[in-house]
Amino acid sequence: MLLQDEVRQLALEAKAASGPLGRTAPEARDGALAAMAQALRDKAAAIMTANQADMEAAREAGTSEAILDRLMLDEGRIEAMAAALEDLMALPDPLGHVQERRTMYNGIELTRVSVPLGVVAVVFEARPNVCADAAGICVKSGNACVLRGGSLAARSNEVICDVLAQAAGAAGLPAGSICAITSTDRAATDALMSLHGIVDVLIPRGGAGLIHHCVEASKVPVIETGTGNCHVYVHGSADLEQALAILMNAKCRRFGVCNAAETLLVDEAVAERFLPWALAALAEKGVLVHGDERACAIAAEANMAAGAVVLATEADWETEYLGPEIAVRCVPGVAEAVAHVNRYGTHHSEAIVATDEQAIDEFLACVDAAAVYANASTAFTDGGQFGLGAEIGISTQKLHARGPFATDALTSYKYVARGNGQVRA
């Protein structure tokens, strides 16, 4: 069978499952989530064996440490995957909510009720935990899913998806509720994106190349999960000790995540006081700084080690490093910081550190991003922290879903009209 036919057949199985799945009781879907969580724990050894094979192949291929960190699974991360599924159980059922109720002029009772999207396709790269997150969110929201992971995690993805699908089926969900494309051929993604009318929405999770390709080539509606060129801006009024703690957490907690800070903006008024401290702390963590002329001069005056700070280029302001590198720029004030963020940022997560409420309000109001923070790290932009349970992605677009999104974002609505014989003149 041709690859395109295989992908279509798999999507048709999901389509057939989507109707009955969307009509299951909340208790049935939560029971399936519990079974899926337990199955991950029970099969942890098999999952880690497959993941070790993926890790070895990725190292041999020269994969970066940041990507290897995304790829790696251990007992703790598998337990976190299972716990995320259980967290979903505690969330309200997103289906059947009456969003609006009114009586029309002719006596028809009209309600607007939340319903599943139908078939959700998720295309992702090197993070095998996405299998569990995406499958769990789709089950909770009554959507059948088609998962297509990247080649780096092919063995891990296949085992995880098989474990989840079997557990969901044993718990009583329709066959085809959780489907996975196991082919590593990139043409499988293109085949999936062509299935307008079968797949209801496509969600890409990965690097800029994957996301742009899906947005530009898909015939299926796309929820765009964007890259993260995120900023921390230290205002002249900032508590500098707090600013350093926020910067280091936003940048160094995990280098390879999309909500990591990639650029530090510092008010010129506090640059001489803050930057020697901040640059030394970054150097201690092995972070290479791409600084503007002012930052480089301050580094030289502070006798920073050679090579710890290099002169930034224009490209550095728009780079998502996903590793131990950061761009640093000095700005005259909040207006210039906002202008820089809106020009170079990716509308993901942006933070200001300040005690001046007027500056905070201006930054929060004027920055165009899915999540904006005052005096807190950008590291909180994920569904687990926002109380959404496991996340399916972080949307940087403005239609349908924005920011961390989970079960509610995978629903639509329909109008239900109840009459007693009304006809229109």
Side-chain angles (χ1 to χ4, degrees):
M1 184 183 293
L2 295 175
L3 177 59
Q4 186 169 357
D5 293 334
E6 292 179 5
V7 172
R8 181 182 178 84
Q9 182 58 42
L10 200 66
L12 285 172
E13 292 175 14
K15 190 71 170 179
S18 65
L21 176 61
R23 296 189 293 273
T24 53
E27 296 78 12
R29 285 177 271 123
D30 286 343
L33 290 171
M36 291 158 63
Q38 188 57 49
L40 288 176
R41 297 185 177 105
D42 293 343
K43 301 295 184 179
I47 293 169
M48 285 189 291
T49 296
N51 184 251
Q52 184 60 37
D54 284 333
M55 290 288 290
E56 290 173 1
R59 286 195 183 96
E60 290 176 3
T63 304
S64 71
E65 287 299 320
I67 300 300
L68 288 174
D69 177 61
R70 292 183 171 203
L71 175 60
M72 188 272 292
L73 293 176
D74 56 19
E75 288 186 0
R77 290 189 176 183
I78 293 173
E79 173 57 33
M81 290 161 57
L85 293 175
E86 292 173 334
D87 288 344
L88 286 169
M89 297 167 58
L91 296 177
D93 181 25
L95 303 181
H97 286 179
V98 176
Q99 302 171 349
E100 179 185 357
R101 186 194 304 273
R102 58 192 170 89
T103 301
M104 296 171 59
Y105 71 95
N106 54 13
I108 293 176
E109 292 184 0
L110 187 68
T111 55
R112 192 172 76 180
V113 183
S114 60
V115 296
L117 293 176
V119 177
V120 176
V122 184
V123 180
F124 56 100
E125 292 181 324
R127 298 181 72 169
N129 66 292
V130 174
C131 292
D133 290 348
I137 291 168
C138 287
V139 165
K140 179 71 177 183
S141 56
N143 292 286
C145 63
V146 181
L147 308 177
R148 202 287 182 185
S151 58
L152 281 179
R155 301 170 186 85
S156 306
N157 293 335
E158 185 169 358
V159 173
I160 293 169
C161 289
D162 185 60
V163 166
L164 296 174
Q166 289 195 33
L173 296 192
S177 295
I178 301 173
C179 297
I181 298 171
T182 57
S183 171
T184 58
D185 191 331
R186 292 185 178 181
T189 298
D190 290 333
L192 189 59
M193 292 192 299
S194 73
L195 298 177
H196 179 74
I198 300 175
V199 174
D200 292 286
V201 68
L202 178 82
I203 302 171
R205 286 193 57 172
L210 171 67
I211 294 167
H212 291 160
H213 177 63
C214 291
V215 170
E216 293 171 4
S218 180
K219 295 180 181 179
V220 174
V222 174
I223 298 178
E224 182 176 354
T225 60
T227 53
N229 183 18
C230 306
H231 300 71
V232 171
Y233 166 50
V234 179
H235 184 256
S237 69
D239 177 326
L240 298 186
E241 184 174 344
Q242 183 183 85
L244 182 64
I246 289 171
L247 167 66
M248 298 307 291
N249 181 259
K251 179 61 199 175
C252 300
R253 176 182 168 271
R254 286 184 69 184
F255 293 128
V257 293
C258 60
N259 54 10
E262 304 291 23
T263 299
L264 167 66
L265 300 175
V266 182
D267 256 1
E268 292 174 353
V270 293
E272 299 287 344
R273 287 187 289 142
F274 181 70
L275 277 180
W277 194 16
L279 296 177
L282 290 166
E284 186 177 339
K285 293 291 187 180
V287 178
L288 173 64
V289 172
H290 301 262
D292 67 357
E293 291 184 1
R294 179 80 179 275
C296 288
I298 291 173
E301 291 170 5
N303 297 314
M304 295 283 295
V309 180
V310 298
L311 185 63
T313 67
E314 180 71 13
D316 287 306
W317 309 130
E318 57 191 12
T319 297
E320 182 188 29
Y321 295 108
L322 295 175
E325 298 182 63
I326 192 170
V328 177
R329 187 173 202 170
C330 299
V331 293
V334 65
E336 292 77 11
V338 168
H340 180 101
V341 170
N342 286 343
R343 176 178 177 182
Y344 296 104
T346 53
H347 313 295
H348 193 295
S349 302
E350 311 294 354
I352 180 175
V353 187
T355 58
D356 183 328
E357 289 297 330
Q358 183 175 347
I360 290 172
D361 290 345
E362 181 177 352
F363 185 90
L364 298 182
C366 297
V367 163
D368 182 10
V372 288
Y373 293 86
N375 299 317
S377 169
T378 58
F380 291 100
T381 310
D382 64 63
Q385 297 298 310
F386 279 22
L388 303 175
E391 68 179 25
I392 202 164
I394 298 171
S395 170
T396 55
Q397 65 185 33
K398 297 183 180 180
L399 293 178
H400 183 67
R402 198 176 197 202
F405 65 98
T407 56
D408 286 344
L410 295 191
T411 64
S412 182
Y413 57 81
K414 65 181 176 183
Y415 286 97
V416 179
R418 292 180 180 272
N420 56 5
Q422 288 91 339
V423 295
R424 183 173 176 177

